[in-house]
Amino acid sequence: MKRSVLVLLWLPAIGSGDESHIQLKDGAGKELVAAKCAICHSLDYIPMNAPFLGPADWEKVVDKMVGTMGAPVSDEEVPVVLRYLNTNYGQ
């Protein structure tokens, strides 16, 4: 996995762009993922990086976002986020 690609996941979005054109795949947890992830970065990071991330990778990313970056995702919400990402954007 290329480190430069993963860096994109961790960079905060610059400015407050219009996210209405970004359509995440439908599925259980979509609204939660959209609400929580868009607080810090553009939602297009999810489909853009999906080809490079399997279940263990998504878990590392979510752990970093919550534990290191302070994303406001509760312990109860983490499994919902991971299930959505792995079902819809996992390898």
Side-chain angles (χ1 to χ4, degrees):
M1 179 172 359
K2 293 190 176 201
R3 185 174 275 224
S4 60
V5 174
L6 286 179
V7 169
L8 292 174
L9 285 171
W10 299 313
L11 292 175
I14 299 174
S16 58
D18 177 13
E19 296 281 310
S20 63
H21 69 284
I22 301 168
Q23 297 297 315
L24 295 178
K25 293 179 182 179
D26 287 332
K30 174 184 172 181
E31 292 78 19
L32 176 66
V33 168
K36 299 294 183 164
C37 296
I39 291 171
C40 298
H41 59 76
S42 176
L43 293 177
D44 65 353
Y45 288 180
I46 296 170
M48 181 174 52
N49 288 286
F52 309 102
L53 302 174
D57 303 308
W58 279 121
E59 186 170 353
K60 288 177 188 174
V61 169
V62 172
D63 285 347
K64 180 171 182 154
M65 295 297 171
V66 174
T68 303
M69 307 303 278
V73 180
S74 71
D75 291 343
E76 294 78 23
E77 293 170 327
V78 167
V80 177
V81 169
L82 286 172
R83 193 173 313 113
Y84 174 81
L85 293 172
N86 284 310
T87 299
N88 295 286
Y89 294 100
Q91 288 193 10

